[in-house]
């Protein structure tokens, strides 16, 4: 395993230009690119600051052509951002006006249930708009649709249990993926794995969390010793709903102390989802089934001893080869998430 420290991917408050360009190139429409940039830059001043950074003599790792392409996208985004913020401001004014008009109905002696429901809805929309506007950099500016694009976790009665509709949708997705990728599980029958899933509703909930956050879980092995099926995140790139994470809580707190804004940390998120972060051995085995993480990174389970030095393992696929590097455990890089494993 290569022990050399990985190149720093966050330059001060700015995302690494090479990784940012790779992420933008992976998106097929301008709107998707703008949505991604909106999760990083909210104010026009933020974009100007980054453009000034690109115009310095700092080593970005980009060719002149790549740098020009990145600047062009950012300049187009500035125009889009101005229009977006203007529309958002108009919506907030509209919601506020509606709220003021409807609140007057509280003074009327005959407030109908319909009007009461309408007031509650408008109040909720205004609160959502204000909450989005006040979110910390790196998250603020996202529309509600983007924030929840991976769905909403299904919890019934406080228990981690899928509703019948969510269960049916999840099983259909898992079956289709199983049948489309038979090379990952030769000799394993879907009907046998399905029987295990049907008997373990809590495991289904965890699988849904893997699916909801972009992991695209699939069966990769049947353990004869334990009689359990092993599901692993098999998305081509690191799960989109788990990116910008530090490795663990210590790394997250260190990142915040240095001005970064991680969305959380991989260890706590995996625990909440009921799954395990892939070990280096599992990660390398997964890479034998395909080329994963060609443009992104995945955190790998790291020993306490190594973490005591402030480091954590991170995997990537470079030119078809699986590589595992040592990275700073606090780096909340945009393209780094984690891949999980679940035994059923």
């Amino acid at each position: 395993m290569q022990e050399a420290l990985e190149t720093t991917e966050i330059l001060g408050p700015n995302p690494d230009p090479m990784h940012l360009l790779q992420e933008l190139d992976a998106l097929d429409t301008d709107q998707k690119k703008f949505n991604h940039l909106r999760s990083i830059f909210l104010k026009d001043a933020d974009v100007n600051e980054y453009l000034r950074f690109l115009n310095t003599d700092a080593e970005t790792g980009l060719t002149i052509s790549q740098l020009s392409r990145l600047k062009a996208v950012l300049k187009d985004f500035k125009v889009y951002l101005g229009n977006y913020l203007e529309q958002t401001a108009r919506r907030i004014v509209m919601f506020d006006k509606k709220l003021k008009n409807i609140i007057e109905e509280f003074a009327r002696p005959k407030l109908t249930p319909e009007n009461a429901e309408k007031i509650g809805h408008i109040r909720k929309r205004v609160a959502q708009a204000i909450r989005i506007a006040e979110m910390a950099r790196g998250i603020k500016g996202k529309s509600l649709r983007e924030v929840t694009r991976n769905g909403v976790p299904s919890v019934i009665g406080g228990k981690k249990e899928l509703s019948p509709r969510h269960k049916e949708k999840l099983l259909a997705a898992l079956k289709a993926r199983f049948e489309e990728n038979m090379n990952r599980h030769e000799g394993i029958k879907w009907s046998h794995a399905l029987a295990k899933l049907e008997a373990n509703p809590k495991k289904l909930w965890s699988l849904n969390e893997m699916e909801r956050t972009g992991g695209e879980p699939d069966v990769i092995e049947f353990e004869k010793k334990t009689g359990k099926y092993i599901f692993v995140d098999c998305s081509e790139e690191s799960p989109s709903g788990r990116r910008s994470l530090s490795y663990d809580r210590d790394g997250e707190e260190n990142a915040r102390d240095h001005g970064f804004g991680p969305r959380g940390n991989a260890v706590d998120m995996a625990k909440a989802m009921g799954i395990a972060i892939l070990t280096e051995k599992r990660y390398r085995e997964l890479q034998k089934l395909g080329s994963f993480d060609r443009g992104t990174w995945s955190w790998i389970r790291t020993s306490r001893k190594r973490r005591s030095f402030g480091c954590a393992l991170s995997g990537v696929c470079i030119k078809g080869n699986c590589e595992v590097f040592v990275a700073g455990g606090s780096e909340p890089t945009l393209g780094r998430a984690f891949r999980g494993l679940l035994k059923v």
Side-chain angles (χ1 to χ4, degrees):
M1 183 187 71
Q2 298 188 33
E3 294 290 332
L5 286 176
E6 177 188 346
T7 302
T8 302
E9 296 178 3
I10 292 290
L11 307 177
N14 300 308
D16 177 69
M18 178 63 76
H19 282 269
L20 179 58
L21 184 61
Q22 289 175 345
E23 290 171 347
L24 293 174
D25 286 343
L27 302 174
D28 56 0
T29 66
D30 287 342
Q31 185 60 54
K32 290 180 180 179
K33 294 178 181 179
F34 293 158
N35 286 346
H36 180 63
L37 288 171
R38 203 171 72 223
S39 70
I40 308 170
F41 308 108
L42 176 64
K43 297 182 297 184
D44 192 60
D46 294 334
V47 187
N48 289 335
E49 176 189 344
Y50 192 60
L51 284 170
R52 284 196 296 271
F53 163 73
L54 294 178
N55 288 327
T56 65
D57 294 330
E59 179 60 46
T60 62
L62 297 176
T63 64
I64 295 177
S65 175
Q66 290 173 325
L67 190 59
S68 297
R69 282 198 295 117
L70 180 57
K71 288 180 180 179
V73 175
L74 289 169
K75 289 176 181 178
D76 290 342
F77 171 67
K78 281 185 61 179
V79 177
Y80 163 82
L81 181 61
N83 294 331
Y84 171 78
L85 292 177
E86 183 179 344
Q87 292 173 4
T88 300
R90 285 202 300 266
R91 289 193 188 102
I92 292 177
V93 171
M94 178 186 67
F95 291 150
D96 188 55
K97 183 177 180 181
K98 285 184 177 181
L99 179 60
K100 289 178 180 178
N101 291 337
I102 295 175
I103 283 179
E104 294 177 1
E105 298 185 22
F106 274 118
R108 299 179 184 179
K110 295 182 179 180
L111 180 64
T112 65
E114 290 77 12
N115 284 339
E117 182 178 355
K118 186 186 296 184
I119 291 171
H121 175 70
I122 297 297
R123 285 177 64 88
K124 182 178 179 181
R125 293 293 299 275
V126 172
Q128 288 172 335
I130 293 175
R131 187 161 57 249
I132 291 174
E134 293 178 344
M135 282 182 180
R137 178 177 177 177
I139 299 177
K140 65 183 179 180
K142 288 187 177 181
S143 65
L144 290 177
R145 180 180 300 174
E146 184 181 357
V147 171
T148 59
R149 68 182 181 274
N150 292 316
V152 178
S154 298
V155 179
I156 301 176
K159 297 181 179 180
K160 294 181 177 181
E161 180 181 343
L162 293 181
S163 67
R165 182 174 64 85
H166 277 90
K167 177 180 175 181
E168 181 181 358
K169 183 178 179 181
L170 173 64
L171 290 176
L174 292 174
K175 180 181 180 182
R177 187 173 300 125
F178 183 94
E179 294 175 345
E180 291 172 4
N181 300 278
M182 295 303 296
N183 63 299
R184 297 175 184 165
H185 31 251
E186 294 180 2
I188 298 177
K189 294 183 178 180
W190 169 250
S191 58
H192 294 171
L194 177 61
K196 284 280 189 178
L197 292 173
E198 294 278 10
N200 291 276
K202 288 185 179 180
K203 300 290 186 179
L204 268 178
W205 184 88
S206 292
L207 275 173
N208 188 65
E209 289 297 278
M210 295 170 75
E211 183 75 18
R212 183 182 68 84
T213 53
E216 301 179 20
D218 196 7
V219 181
I220 65 165
E221 184 183 337
F222 174 71
E223 280 189 336
K224 294 183 179 180
K225 185 177 180 180
T226 62
K228 293 183 177 181
Y229 292 89
I230 296 178
F231 286 80
V232 167
D233 289 310
C234 292
S235 54
E236 287 190 4
E237 301 296 344
S238 62
S240 58
R242 303 178 218 161
R243 294 180 186 172
S244 298
L245 300 176
S246 297
Y247 177 75
D248 56 14
R249 190 167 300 178
D250 287 342
E252 180 183 354
E253 292 175 354
N254 184 56
R256 296 190 189 284
D257 289 342
H258 286 79
F260 298 118
R263 294 176 56 192
N265 68 80
V267 172
D268 285 350
M269 182 177 286
K271 183 178 180 181
M273 295 170 65
I275 62 178
I277 299 175
L278 289 190
T279 61
E280 181 180 349
K281 179 182 177 181
R282 285 290 185 188
Y283 185 78
R284 291 186 181 280
E285 288 175 349
L286 175 65
Q287 289 287 14
K288 294 177 182 178
L289 300 177
S291 295
F292 302 95
D293 292 336
R294 287 173 292 181
T296 54
W297 296 75
S298 290
W299 287 118
I300 292 175
R301 190 190 302 177
T302 304
S303 67
R304 290 184 180 180
K305 181 178 181 181
R306 189 183 294 277
R307 283 298 294 130
S308 68
F309 294 103
C311 303
L313 299 180
S314 183
V316 67
C317 180
I318 300 178
K319 296 182 179 180
N321 297 317
C322 174
E323 303 288 353
V324 175
F325 294 91
V326 178
S330 61
E331 298 174 3
T333 309
L334 288 171
R336 184 186 284 121
F338 72 92
R339 294 179 182 272
L341 176 148
L342 181 70
K343 294 185 178 182
V344 183

